[in-house]
């Protein structure tokens, strides 16, 4: 199950959609790879599906690969073509989460 915040997450970000909804992701990073991903959203059941599929898809990916994910990759992976707004918000949130993780690592070193 990938719904919900992750304790001791390496990175986190919340991104708002145009309609006031949001997608928020947490990642745990090990060796520049996403070991675990979790999310919450307040938008809709369809967005839950998009976010869950993205969290599942991102686990095991190198950060650079996950950051490069495109909307069509997610929609193909989860067969969710009709959820365009949700997939855009989910992808923006995971990218922002990765950026926040990288900023934190840079500040520490």
């Amino acid at each position: 199950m990938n719904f919900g915040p992750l304790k001791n997450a390496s990175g986190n970000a919340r991104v708002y959609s145009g309609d006031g909804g949001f997608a928020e992701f947490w990642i745990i990073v090990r060796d520049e790879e996403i070991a675990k991903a979790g999310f919450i959203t307040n938008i809709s059941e369809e967005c839950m599906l998009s976010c869950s599929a993205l969290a599942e898809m991102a686990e095991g990916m190198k950060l650079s690969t996950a950051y490069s994910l495109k909307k069509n990759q997610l929609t193909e992976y989860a067969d969710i073509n009709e959820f365009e707004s949700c997939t855009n918000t989910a992808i923006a949130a995971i990218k922002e989460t990765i950026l926040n993780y990288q900023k934190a690592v840079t500040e520490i070193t």
Side-chain angles (χ1 to χ4, degrees), residues 10-11 27-36 58-68 97-109:
S10 308
I27 56 173
I28 294 175
V29 178
R30 291 190 190 103
D31 299 322
E32 293 301 302
E33 185 175 286
I34 297 174
K36 185 94 174 123
E59 287 183 4
M61 282 188 174
K62 291 289 186 187
L63 290 171
S64 58
T65 304
Y67 189 83
S68 298
T97 302
I98 292 167
L99 288 175
N100 286 346
Y101 163 75
Q102 290 171 329
K103 286 178 198 172
V105 169
T106 301
E107 290 173 4
I108 292 171
T109 56

Side-chain angles (χ1 to χ4, degrees), residues 20-75:
F22 69 85
E24 184 169 359
F25 275 82
W26 290 263
I27 56 173
I28 294 175
V29 178
R30 291 190 190 103
D31 299 322
E32 293 301 302
E33 185 175 286
I34 297 174
K36 185 94 174 123
F39 76 95
I40 61 171
T41 184
N42 72 339
I43 304 172
S44 65
E45 185 176 329
E46 291 82 11
C47 289
M48 292 274 293
L49 294 172
S50 293
C51 290
S52 181
L54 181 57
E56 180 181 291
M57 190 177 178
E59 287 183 4
M61 282 188 174
K62 291 289 186 187
L63 290 171
S64 58
T65 304
Y67 189 83
S68 298
L69 283 171
K70 304 282 188 247
K71 181 180 72 173
N72 67 317
Q73 291 172 287
L74 176 56
T75 57

Side-chain angles (χ1 to χ4, degrees), residues 72-89:
N72 67 317
Q73 291 172 287
L74 176 56
T75 57
E76 288 172 15
Y77 176 83
D79 194 24
I80 50 175
N81 290 325
E82 67 273 17
F83 309 145
E84 184 172 343
S85 174
C86 297
T87 56
N88 289 337
T89 303

